[in-house]
Amino acid sequence: MTHTHVKGADTTMVFKRLLGSLGVGGPTVDTILAPGPVRPGGTLTGQVHLKGGNADFDIEHITLELVARVEFEHDEGESEGGIAFERFTVGGGFRLAEGERTSVPFSVTLPWETPITELYGQPLGIALGVRTELSVAGAKDKGDLDPLTVGPLPAQEAILEAFGQLGFGFKSADLEYGRIGGTEQQLPFYQEIEITPSPQYAHRVNEIEVTFLAHPGGMEVVLEADKRAGLFSGGHDALTRFTVGHHDSRDWNTEVENWVRQLVEHRASHGGYGHGDPYAGHGHSEHHGHNDHRHDGHHRSGPGMGTVVAAGAAGLAVGVVGGMVAAEVVDEVGDFFEGDEEDEG
């Protein structure tokens, strides 16, 4: 089976399944999402199509559940699994007659921290979905799962574009269960976008991980560097945080260059953006030094579920747009939806 839905080329592709808890002859559900990517904090619209079974049924609730494939770290190592991170009740309280067809339109707002699944129209290997749950005659059934495509906010795209123009390369993206200390994070997981260093920093860091924590008033940008061991020091992790507005007008190449310099050189430990920074009045930075782990005392490094190898220092734009997304990543995302459907049965 092809997985064109992951790329957003066919967002009307759906997975229909008989409502197993109601037995043969029960109603069926088919959810259609509006085409095109949604933005974090944006509006997701669509319709839930219902077809009546071989008897009348009372539809108590129609609920949409946002689900994500997330990596969990535990004592035995790492594992992956689905997690629901938002629920919306979009209908219910009516009788669906035998054989009747009806549609329930919906319009819901995504959480601001919803991960992005594509950049420049190309998938990042992040699996998000919208699962439709029917509550009928006291029985709940998760009947329909559709892939969700989320594009970046303007500030997110500008920052990632700046990394690309500065010579950094896209490596992978994944979702990590846990919380980043000291932030206003709302969801129980966060997205890491792993990028390879530009030639200027290749001798200093192995990779840099970028996390966006958006909210209505702006966005926290968390950068973590996996630093290389030097002659007189061991390798370690460094972490910095910055805040930006959704519609900030900055020279993003200069801004991101300053961020990376602070991250690598620990300049942020002295507060602010450092001396002479032209953007000191536009943002805020904090620094966390040696071995400051991102979440709940655990830390991981290295490629995860969404491993994508780009052309090194060719840049994010070239790496993603240039078709460097590995086919197996797309397959893995598709398998997540198919596997979830099978697990539900």
Side-chain angles (χ1 to χ4, degrees):
M1 174 181 176
T2 59
H3 300 295
T4 54
H5 56 278
V6 177
K7 296 183 179 180
D10 185 4
T11 54
T12 62
M13 178 176 290
V14 294
F15 303 97
K16 303 176 183 178
R17 191 169 68 83
L18 187 68
L19 294 180
S21 64
L22 302 177
V24 177
T28 56
V29 61
D30 179 5
T31 298
I32 305 294
L33 304 180
V38 191
R39 309 293 172 186
T43 302
L44 174 68
T45 59
Q47 294 200 2
V48 178
H49 299 299
L50 299 172
K51 180 182 179 182
N54 57 9
D56 294 352
F57 287 91
D58 289 322
I59 307 298
E60 297 166 357
H61 299 288
I62 303 173
T63 302
L64 301 181
E65 195 172 58
L66 302 185
V67 296
R69 183 177 181 175
V70 178
E71 293 191 354
F72 299 86
E73 188 175 87
H74 42 78
D75 292 340
E76 291 74 29
E78 295 177 2
S79 61
E80 298 170 356
I83 185 172
F85 62 96
E86 187 63 281
R87 288 173 62 88
F88 310 95
T89 298
V90 297
F94 63 91
R95 171 160 292 196
L96 184 66
E98 178 182 355
E100 179 186 1
R101 293 177 181 268
T102 189
S103 296
V104 178
F106 61 84
S107 178
V108 298
T109 302
L110 296 185
W112 280 95
E113 291 180 17
T114 300
I116 62 175
T117 68
E118 68 169 31
L119 182 62
Y120 311 112
Q122 294 297 314
L124 300 181
I126 298 295
L128 295 184
V130 179
R131 184 159 50 198
T132 307
E133 177 184 281
L134 285 189
S135 179
V136 183
K140 293 183 178 180
D141 196 284
K142 296 177 173 63
D144 194 24
L145 180 65
D146 298 274
L148 175 63
T149 302
V150 181
L153 292 164
Q156 293 172 336
E157 185 168 336
I159 291 168
L160 293 174
E161 174 68 24
F163 271 108
Q165 297 211 4
L166 291 170
F168 292 81
F170 177 78
K171 180 181 178 183
S172 68
D174 55 24
L175 306 181
E176 294 286 332
Y177 184 80
R179 298 182 184 277
I180 303 176
T183 68
E184 299 299 320
Q185 181 183 340
Q186 299 295 310
L187 295 183
F189 60 86
Y190 56 89
Q191 181 174 24
E192 285 184 341
I193 299 174
E194 300 178 0
I195 59 178
T196 56
S198 65
Q200 179 182 355
Y201 294 103
H203 67 292
R204 305 283 296 276
V205 297
N206 294 309
E207 68 179 24
I208 292 177
E209 296 168 345
V210 183
T211 294
F212 298 114
L213 298 174
H215 53 83
M219 186 170 58
E220 290 180 274
V221 184
V222 183
L223 302 181
E224 182 176 20
D226 177 13
K227 303 190 72 174
R228 294 186 185 277
L231 183 61
F232 301 106
S233 65
H236 64 279
D237 301 321
L239 186 103
T240 58
R241 292 198 305 269
F242 306 89
T243 59
V244 301
H246 287 300
H247 305 290
D248 283 4
S249 178
R250 309 189 190 186
D251 178 346
W252 286 110
N253 284 17
T254 300
E255 187 86 337
V256 170
E257 178 70 34
N258 288 335
W259 291 355
V260 173
R261 191 180 305 118
Q262 289 185 42
L263 181 66
V264 173
E265 299 177 1
H266 288 191
R267 288 172 57 201
S269 60
H270 303 292
Y273 273 95
H275 300 293
D277 191 303
Y279 302 101
H282 292 272
H284 173 66
S285 73
E286 296 182 36
H287 172 75
H288 301 261
H290 185 87
N291 288 335
D292 185 0
H293 299 315
R294 298 188 73 154
H295 60 91
D296 300 339
H298 296 289
H299 177 74
R300 59 168 296 282
S301 180
M305 175 274 295
T307 301
V308 180
V309 180
L316 293 180
V318 175
V320 178
V321 176
M324 300 302 295
V325 177
E328 57 266 24
V329 172
V330 178
D331 289 339
E332 282 189 26
V333 176
D335 292 342
F336 166 65
F337 294 103
E338 291 180 11
D340 188 282
E341 287 291 286
E342 293 166 1
D343 293 343
E344 293 293 340

